Amino acid sequence: YKLYLLFNLDNQNKTLQIVSNSLIATGSALVLLVALVTLLVVRQVVRPVKEAAKTAEALASGDLGKRMDVHGEDEIARLGSAFNEMANSLQLQINRLENLSNVQQRFVGDVTHELRTPLTAIRGFAELHRQGAVSGEEQTKELVARIERESMRMSALVEDLLVLARMDQGPK
């Protein structure tokens, strides 16, 4: 004899449907959550890198006051701090070079003036002699002595310049 029992499985089908819908909803929510977390992590990593690139471009274009905003103590923050220190160092070096250039320009102007003074005197004395404005042996000796003094003064200035040039070159 065969015996068959028939049961109504509507309750089980409803339970399976609820479990299936719950799994789909939970899976979808997890996928969205993972996507959101991934987006946030990528933004936190990419944003400082983009900021570093913009800051580097600003520095390259001459804006030496541009710095990165540093937040936290992670690798990105250390990168930003190192970047800012490098920018500060560059700005200090450029300021030192500008100051040195200003000093050098002033020095060249002073040297030019100091060399021009004895040269003008020598030319003037030579012109006086050429025009015959000096008469007699005594006046001629005095004029030649003045020319000699101014020549020696100019030679001393040139020697001083050579010493400075050697000192500037440093030891070889």
Side-chain angles (χ1 to χ4, degrees):
Y1 303 97
K2 290 187 179 180
L3 181 67
Y4 293 98
L5 294 173
L6 298 175
F7 291 102
N8 187 1
L9 297 177
D10 285 340
N11 284 339
Q12 285 76 13
N13 282 335
K14 285 180 184 177
T15 303
L16 283 175
Q17 190 65 34
I18 290 171
V19 168
S20 176
N21 289 341
S22 296
L23 284 175
I24 290 172
T26 305
S28 299
L30 282 175
V31 167
L32 286 174
L33 184 63
V34 167
L36 182 64
V37 168
T38 303
L39 180 68
L40 289 175
V41 168
V42 167
R43 285 183 102 191
Q44 280 191 326
V45 171
V46 170
R47 184 180 43 84
V49 172
K50 283 183 180 179
E51 183 183 341
K54 286 181 183 177
T55 305
E57 288 171 0
L59 287 171
S61 68
D63 182 8
L64 298 178
K66 187 75 171 168
R67 298 294 183 270
M68 286 183 62
D69 292 329
V70 178
H71 305 287
E73 295 182 18
D74 58 354
E75 287 79 16
I76 301 292
R78 286 199 308 257
L79 172 68
S81 295
F83 191 87
N84 289 341
E85 288 175 22
M86 178 193 68
N88 288 335
S89 176
L90 281 174
Q91 188 171 21
L92 286 174
Q93 291 296 331
I94 288 172
N95 289 341
R96 283 183 48 209
L97 289 174
E98 286 174 350
N99 290 338
L100 184 61
S101 176
N102 291 338
V103 168
Q104 184 179 15
Q105 288 173 356
R106 195 170 59 242
F107 176 75
V108 168
D110 291 347
V111 166
T112 301
H113 175 71
E114 289 297 320
L115 287 174
R116 190 178 297 150
T117 303
L119 185 60
T120 302
I122 291 170
R123 287 177 65 193
F125 294 143
E127 184 69 22
L128 280 174
H129 184 62
R130 188 180 64 76
Q131 291 178 357
V134 178
S135 60
E137 191 175 317
E138 192 60 38
Q139 285 184 337
T140 304
K141 281 183 181 179
E142 176 63 29
L143 186 65
V144 170
R146 285 182 174 182
I147 290 174
E148 266 185 342
R149 278 194 305 271
E150 293 299 325
S151 317
M152 290 188 323
R153 180 177 169 204
M154 194 157 77
S155 292
L157 287 171
V158 170
E159 282 298 318
D160 289 345
L161 283 174
L162 288 174
V163 168
L164 285 174
R166 284 187 206 118
M167 288 173 57
D168 193 37
Q169 288 177 350
K172 289 188 177 185

